[in-house]
Amino acid sequence: MNKQWRLAHTPSGGWPVDLDFRFGQEALPEPAPGQVLTRTLYLSMDPYQWGRRRNGTELPGQICHGRTVSQVVSSNRGPFEVGDYIFNTNGWQSYGLSGEGVSHFGYMHPRRLDPLGAPLSTAIGVLGMLGLTAYAGMMVQCQPRAGETVIVSAASGGVGQVAAQLAKLAGCRVVGIAGRPEKVDFCLGQLGLDACVSHLDEDFHEQLRKACPDGCDIYFENVGGKVFAAVLGLLNQNARITLCGLISQYGNTDGSNPHTVWQASGQQVFAVREVAVHPLFVGNFVDEYQERFLSEVGEYIKDNKIFYREDRWAGLEKAPQAFQAMLSGGNFGKTLVEVSEDTT
Ligand SMILES: NC(=O)c1ccc[n+]([C@@H]2O[C@H](COP(=O)([O-])OP(=O)(O)OC[C@H]3O[C@@H](n4cnc5c(N)ncnc54)[C@H](OP(=O)(O)O)[C@@H]3O)[C@@H](O)[C@H]2O)c1
């Protein structure tokens, strides 16, 4: 049987709750000519999924969307062989089809993975869209130079941990912002950042100011809200910002557009200090930068120069919980669900 989570209704706003999702099972689908049936191994939990659910892109009754690592279990003259491991977008279900006539999400083309290369889960993490997001924002848009001060918010998270380490490798002084104390310790110890402060502390603004005696040359924005307000006053003349995400505002209930609110709150400082703001959409970087990213970051990982932490949840049944945790800081590292056993 194919276990599945479907969207129960279009959420009216706020943050996800259990009742937004409906669990069910149905018979395995038969691959049509040109298709393969795949078993899901890993399912990625990403903030953008909440946007799709809230804005009606994902409709009630549909299988919840999600990027996956899967193994081909049967083929009807499909594009992959039985036994192949592939990156695809099965969504929140234990089996799915790939190949002719099966739509995938935008630029996320199914592709074969090498089980002898990096661990398979990295295809939805550090060596997937998440890593490319960090690479595009930090290396392509902001182009860090040795000696500059870089601030990364959500620094222990999936995108943040990679962005922060890339800036360290470029010779920058890197200051992380994270939540719980163990995340702050992780950023300092495991990631080797120069400083890290918690946005949960009452004197957060003051701590951040002290951690950046020379101001901020590059800000990698993942969060928005009060975290952005604290960084704003530290921006140097000609600072650069990658506007990667605004996760603290994805549960807004007032109908406002997080990007518009963010831009308006920073506008005056941006103008006076001639700050370059780079909005980021990872899909725009796939064609030109995917190969370069895979080669550079792949090497860093082989040489243990980039570390990555995953937050794994066992069993498809846990998907809604994992999703809710990821959106509220209950995760620790890149959030993924182990849907079936990875024997590689
Ligand atoms: N532009 C693109 O193409 C693109 C692509 C992928 C991801 N993104 C964005 O990148 C960001 C990170 O995504 P991810 O998948 O790597 O998730 P993640 O960082 O692994 O998890 C989200 C983290 O956000 C932090 N957070 C949540 N609510 C917060 C709040 N109210 N205040 C401060 N921090 C809060 C939490 O960290 P703490 O507990 O440390 O606060 C949480 O662990 C998101 O904004 C996402 O939308 C953008």
Side-chain angles (χ1 to χ4, degrees):
M1 298 296 282
N2 192 10
K3 295 181 189 172
Q4 302 168 323
W5 282 103
R6 292 175 187 273
L7 186 65
H9 59 105
T10 297
S12 54
W15 299 102
V17 294
D18 291 350
L19 289 176
D20 292 334
F21 307 96
R22 201 176 65 231
F23 191 71
Q25 300 193 46
E26 55 183 42
L28 293 186
E30 282 289 326
Q35 294 182 353
V36 293
L37 176 67
T38 73
R39 173 175 62 90
T40 311
L41 273 61
Y42 298 110
L43 165 64
S44 181
M45 295 285 127
D46 295 283
Y48 77 87
Q49 295 171 2
W50 187 229
R52 287 170 53 89
R53 282 161 205 155
R54 284 191 60 175
N55 69 19
T57 304
E58 189 169 295
L59 294 170
Q62 284 185 334
I63 306 277
C64 295
H65 161 86
R67 295 173 290 148
T68 49
V69 170
S70 308
Q71 185 173 28
V72 177
V73 292
S74 68
S75 172
N76 186 350
R77 289 168 283 131
F80 305 104
E81 304 293 324
V82 171
D84 277 355
Y85 293 99
I86 63 170
F87 164 85
N88 64 352
T89 48
N90 275 352
W92 293 23
Q93 57 179 347
S94 48
Y95 289 85
L97 298 169
S98 278
E100 250 173 60
V102 180
S103 68
H104 50 76
F105 180 48
Y107 51 89
M108 297 180 192
H109 306 279
R111 63 184 163 90
R112 191 177 278 109
L113 302 171
D114 176 6
L116 301 175
L120 292 174
S121 62
T122 59
I124 51 169
V126 64
L127 291 175
M129 288 301 151
L130 186 154
L132 180 61
T133 303
Y135 183 86
M138 187 58 76
M139 305 311 290
V140 181
Q141 292 187 320
C142 288
Q143 302 185 7
R145 295 185 285 268
E148 290 187 313
T149 299
V150 176
I151 301 179
V152 178
S153 54
S156 77
V159 171
Q161 58 183 315
V162 182
Q165 291 177 95
L166 285 169
K168 269 308 287 176
L169 286 163
C172 299
R173 172 179 163 74
V174 182
V175 178
I177 298 172
R180 300 193 310 263
E182 58 269 37
K183 294 187 177 184
V184 171
D185 291 346
F186 166 79
C187 290
L188 293 169
Q190 190 74 59
L191 302 185
L193 305 194
D194 299 281
C196 186
V197 300
S198 171
H199 62 84
L200 302 176
D201 288 348
E202 270 186 19
D203 61 345
F204 161 59
H205 280 233
E206 184 56 14
Q207 285 189 39
L208 188 63
R209 197 182 57 73
K210 283 192 181 143
C212 303
D214 298 325
C216 170
D217 301 301
I218 293 176
Y219 176 45
F220 195 102
E221 172 67 294
N222 283 319
V223 168
K226 75 167 199 187
V227 169
F228 176 55
V231 174
L232 200 54
L234 299 171
L235 292 173
N236 289 334
Q237 197 71 23
N238 296 122
R240 292 94 80 198
I241 297 181
T242 277
L243 177 47
C244 175
L246 296 169
I247 197 165
S248 73
Q249 291 163 37
Y250 294 165
N252 283 359
T253 50
D254 60 4
S256 61
N257 178 326
H259 283 79
T260 311
V261 172
W262 183 91
Q263 189 70 39
S265 67
Q267 205 162 12
Q268 206 179 353
V269 173
F270 297 159
V272 173
R273 300 194 199 148
E274 299 177 276
V275 174
V277 175
H278 301 283
L280 175 62
F281 169 58
V282 64
N284 293 340
F285 292 82
V286 176
D287 290 346
E288 199 175 342
Y289 292 100
Q290 170 97 330
E291 289 308 314
R292 195 172 111 187
F293 150 71
L294 282 176
S295 132
E296 282 180 35
V297 175
E299 278 305 307
Y300 283 144
I301 287 173
K302 260 192 229 150
D303 297 344
N304 293 320
K305 288 184 175 163
I306 283 192
F307 176 85
Y308 62 94
R309 180 184 172 113
E310 295 174 335
D311 187 356
R312 292 173 168 235
W313 295 67
L316 183 69
E317 289 78 359
K318 296 268 175 59
Q321 276 170 271
F323 187 60
Q324 290 168 61
M326 183 264 308
L327 284 171
S328 59
N331 64 328
F332 192 169
K334 161 65 195 162
T335 311
L336 57 86
V337 177
E338 299 167 331
V339 179
S340 66
E341 195 186 1
D342 173 1
T343 55
T344 60

